[in-house]
Amino acid sequence: MNEAAGRRAKHEAGGTPIPSGERLRFEDVSVELGGRRILEGVDFEIRPGEVVGLLGRNGAGKTTLLRLASGILHPCVGRVLLGDEAVGTMSRRRLARRVALVPQDLHVAFPFRVGELVLMGRAPHQPLLGLESEHDVELALEALDRFGIAHLAERGIETLSGGERQLVLFARALVQGPAILLLDEPTAFLDLKHRVEVLREVRAFARSGRSALVVSHDLSLAARSCDRIVLLGGGGVAGIGAPAEVLTRENLRDAFGIGVQSFPGPDGGLVVVPDRLEEPSAAE
Amino acid sequence: MIRLSRTRVGLVLGLLAFLLLLIVFFAVATGPSNLSLGDVLDVLVGRSEDRTARDILFRIRLPRVYLGLLVGAALAVAGTVFQALLRNPLADPYVLGVSGGAALAGIAVLALGSLVGLSTKAVPMAAFAGGLLATALLYHVSGGPGRSSPTSLLLTGVVFNAFASAGIVFLASVAGFFEGSRVFLWLIGHLSAVEVDAAGMVAASVGFGLGVALVLSKSLNLIALGDETATQLGVPVARHRRWLLLATSLMVGAAVAVSGLVGFVGLIVPHALRLVIGSDHRLLVPASALAGAGFLVLSDTLARSMLDGRELPVGAVTALVGGPLFIFLLRRAQVHGGVA
């Protein structure tokens, strides 16, 4: 673990200067989509060095917040600030060097190869025209290696499994060299081992002074991997704070509309599971 | 190696340029009058005193090859760009009806332009405008890239084409413009040395279009992954797409103005290339230009030499190759549950 961190630090010392930690702030943000208000009065910030989990039921506005932060969507009220700058006023390239998004999945119409896709993460650092530099290639190879997918570099993306594709997208986002990493259910298609590995990388990323905003439906894993949790519900923020403070039975019932057990596991980490499933009774 | 290396770019483009050169020599040396390759070379380097040979070469064969190069490059690059912008490997200016729109506008000026004081010199401009309009309509009707299913996009193209063909025949009839088979040749796609007057304008349009596609080829890679992904990787998608659509419409308009509706070049060439050199548009765009030029000149040479003493329109040859390929690609897309 320390060895890995050391290797990274060494690499980063000679590589792209890491954007120093930046604050991502949602300032009294409201969003309307198709005439319907999705979010109202959302106000919180993500500080350098933090991993923040974004939880809530389907349609609560989690992905919408990520899209706001990556400048794809703009709020109808309020601002999204990166440092002191409004995300909406920054050029695409400038924003892309500071904020990277790992989407849920990728549908590719053409058989791009894995290596090519990861290298595309360097696009915001390159001139409009031209080929990749040695440095770009080095970063891409290192990222492929870090996620254990170096052997897939020459494969067509369409031949990969959903989990492998997710690792590729993660590698691409890291190669982008951002200060803020946005992850939209980064572990949805991954097995337990890979989930843990990805979240470990997210934590390592944050330890270097940068920060991550992670959308997840795996509440227990979010409790373990996030410094703070933002729980969305009722068109806004329903709870914010340390995992144990936010992921309470009451909060979760309000947010998800079902009974949920939330208790410390043997090692002290929070375990969050739904109430025992009731079998539909045969008499009815 | 995962990266596109300078060596690979040089090797691929060098090889394609060499093949193109061979095709050009073959095309120039082929024709009803017996000129050997040696005679041709003699004329080219100015060693020959043969007036007839000179005339055949400079007035008939070379202009036609020159037009073929431009039209082939334009259509293939336009196909490549459309496929990336629409994220659909079946996109092609002809299949989508963009060529049809250009042809309709071109014929309109040809047939009725004299009534409003437009000379035939306005035909390329009109074709460009028609192509641009068809592209814009296509975007509007299909609901934009990614959102439209490949099928709805193709159906839109089919309807555009049917409408354009009907419009062309209608205009031709109304204006009494049935000069022999001229309209027929527009509809099927035909290269003719007669059109060489417009060659300067066509060359400029193709040059400009190719330039834009080359400069934005890295953006094409990212846009091919989806608008949001491209945006999020720093591409000003709307602006780059406008430039690319303008460039392709200009190229298609220019090509249609001198050759009519030559179909499927934009489908065949990028598809064949992707199989061999991959999907990176920084290589695919220039390679499409070279391979498209070569493909069309070769098709045209076959078209005018296959039947003794008679000529086939080149559009017939490309459609004979392209039609089956299109069906094959469509089938494969259906088997794999959609291409987009």
Side-chain angles (χ1 to χ4, degrees), chain B:
Chain B
M1 200 54 204
I2 57 174
R3 117 171 97 166
L4 181 61
S5 70
R6 210 159 262 135
T7 328
R8 214 160 87 82
V9 173
L11 213 64
V12 169
L13 296 185
L15 191 67
L16 284 172
F18 177 69
L19 284 175
L20 182 60
L21 201 66
L22 290 184
I23 289 172
V24 167
F25 273 122
F26 171 61
V28 170
T30 305
S33 34
N34 269 326
L35 286 181
S36 72
L37 190 59
D39 298 335
V40 169
L41 284 175
D42 281 348
V43 175
L44 284 182
V45 296
R47 252 203 324 247
S48 171
E49 296 298 317
D50 187 346
R51 287 293 295 257
T52 328
R54 281 186 66 89
D55 281 354
I56 289 174
L57 210 56
F58 284 109
R59 296 243 171 101
I60 299 174
R61 291 191 188 170
L62 275 175
R64 184 153 171 166
V65 166
Y66 176 61
L67 276 183
L69 292 173
L70 289 175
V71 169
L75 294 177
V77 171
T80 305
V81 171
F82 273 131
Q83 285 160 24
L85 287 181
L86 295 165
R87 287 190 273 294
N88 189 333
L90 291 173
D92 161 87
Y94 175 75
V95 173
L96 293 177
V98 174
S99 300
L104 179 56
I107 290 274
V109 167
L110 213 52
L112 307 173
S114 55
L115 300 180
V116 291
L118 281 173
S119 78
T120 53
K121 288 223 165 60
V123 169
M125 247 359 251
F128 162 60
L132 196 61
L133 196 67
T135 310
L137 262 174
L138 183 79
Y139 247 80
H140 190 69
V141 172
S142 71
R147 254 164 287 167
S148 58
S149 74
T151 324
S152 80
L153 201 63
L154 297 177
L155 283 176
T156 313
V158 168
V159 173
F160 273 25
N161 272 329
F163 180 82
S165 305
I168 290 167
V169 172
F170 175 77
L171 277 176
S173 317
V174 165
F177 173 74
F178 255 106
E179 303 171 23
S181 57
R182 188 104 190 253
V183 171
F184 167 75
L185 286 178
W186 260 71
L187 284 173
I188 191 76
H190 173 66
L191 287 175
S192 137
V194 181
E195 309 285 358
V196 89
D197 290 349
M201 178 154 183
V202 175
S205 305
V206 174
F208 172 78
L210 184 60
V212 170
L214 277 174
V215 168
L216 298 182
S217 57
K218 195 183 283 176
S219 295
L220 275 177
N221 280 342
L222 298 168
I223 291 174
L225 300 182
D227 282 7
E228 288 205 358
T229 300
T231 302
Q232 191 269 320
L233 283 166
V235 178
V237 174
R239 197 168 74 218
H240 284 185
R241 177 159 44 227
R242 267 200 304 279
W243 274 104
L244 287 161
L245 287 176
L246 192 75
T248 38
S249 302
L250 193 59
M251 283 194 286
V252 172
V256 168
V258 291
S259 68
L261 294 173
V262 179
F264 298 107
V265 177
L267 188 76
I268 299 164
V269 172
H271 181 75
L273 283 174
R274 265 197 210 94
L275 288 178
V276 186
I277 64 170
S279 303
D280 193 325
H281 289 83
R282 289 171 299 177
L283 183 55
L284 196 57
V285 166
S288 292
L290 291 171
F295 175 71
L296 199 68
V297 170
L298 186 64
S299 298
D300 188 47
T301 309
L302 292 178
R304 60 189 167 83
S305 60
M306 246 174 354
L307 303 180
D308 215 13
R310 276 169 302 168
E311 273 192 19
L312 268 178
V314 65
V317 175
T318 61
L320 283 175
V321 181
L325 174 72
F326 180 80
I327 300 291
F328 168 75
L329 290 177
L330 189 64
R331 282 252 338 136
R332 205 179 56 168
Q334 280 163 349
V335 169
H336 291 294
V339 276

Side-chain angles (χ1 to χ4, degrees), chain A residues 60-76:
Chain A
K62 303 184 296 295
T63 303
T64 302
L65 277 185
L66 294 193
R67 290 166 52 143
L68 284 173
S70 56
I72 290 167
L73 207 67
H74 300 290
C76 61

Side-chain angles (χ1 to χ4, degrees), chain A:
Chain A
M1 193 84 213
N2 282 336
E3 199 182 311
R7 201 177 55 217
R8 246 187 314 279
K10 187 176 126 235
H11 186 91
E12 278 156 359
T16 321
I18 304 168
S20 52
E22 292 197 77
R23 215 168 38 111
L24 177 67
R25 179 168 178 75
F26 295 92
E27 201 178 68
D28 193 26
V29 166
S30 298
V31 182
E32 266 177 24
L33 287 177
R36 207 168 65 86
R37 192 149 279 210
I38 307 283
L39 288 169
E40 185 143 21
V42 172
D43 197 304
F44 69 92
E45 68 173 27
I46 297 145
R47 296 181 283 261
E50 245 189 342
V51 177
V52 175
L54 195 53
L55 312 181
R57 70 204 294 172
N58 290 331
K62 303 184 296 295
T63 303
T64 302
L65 277 185
L66 294 193
R67 290 166 52 143
L68 284 173
S70 56
I72 290 167
L73 207 67
H74 300 290
C76 61
V77 181
R79 294 188 299 173
V80 183
L81 295 169
L82 186 59
D84 299 324
E85 255 179 297
V87 162
T89 62
M90 292 166 69
S91 83
R92 291 288 174 208
R93 270 173 82 82
R94 208 167 130 65
L95 184 61
R97 281 183 226 154
R98 293 154 80 181
V99 177
L101 173 81
V102 182
Q104 284 175 0
D105 200 2
L106 178 70
H107 299 283
V108 192
F110 304 104
F112 282 111
R113 287 175 302 153
V114 168
E116 289 175 325
L117 274 169
V118 173
L119 266 178
M120 285 183 201
R122 295 302 295 164
H125 300 273
Q126 295 164 346
L128 191 58
L129 201 62
L131 305 174
E132 284 84 12
S133 68
E134 290 296 332
H135 176 59
D136 293 335
V137 175
E138 239 172 72
L139 286 177
L141 288 175
E142 208 230 9
L144 284 166
D145 201 34
R146 190 183 298 184
F147 288 100
I149 48 174
H151 61 289
L152 301 176
E154 299 283 339
R155 288 258 297 272
I157 185 77
E158 76 285 358
T159 67
L160 266 53
S161 72
E164 287 168 332
R165 273 207 301 278
Q166 230 160 14
L167 294 177
V168 172
L169 292 174
F170 201 168
R172 186 182 72 196
L174 282 192
V175 163
Q176 216 173 318
I180 315 263
L181 196 55
L182 308 168
L183 300 108
D184 198 353
E185 291 186 59
T187 59
F189 296 123
L190 296 177
D191 61 36
L192 199 56
K193 171 174 177 271
H194 284 100
R195 281 181 187 212
V196 170
E197 274 174 14
V198 162
L199 289 170
R200 202 175 272 154
E201 287 297 336
V202 173
R203 296 229 35 105
F205 178 82
R207 260 203 316 280
S208 66
R210 298 168 289 178
S211 47
L213 182 59
V214 188
V215 167
S216 178
H217 283 302
D218 189 331
L219 305 183
S220 299
L221 211 52
R224 265 172 202 264
S225 54
C226 299
D227 302 301
R228 284 194 303 149
I229 299 286
V230 173
L231 185 64
L232 293 182
V237 175
I240 182 164
E245 291 166 29
V246 176
L247 298 176
T248 61
R249 187 169 169 80
E250 294 70 41
N251 280 346
L252 292 169
R253 192 199 310 113
D254 290 348
F256 291 97
I258 56 160
V260 175
Q261 307 278 321
S262 173
F263 54 90
D267 67 351
L270 206 61
V271 177
V272 186
V273 289
D275 283 347
R276 193 195 301 266
L277 303 181
E278 284 166 37
E279 299 295 328
S281 93
E284 289 174 44

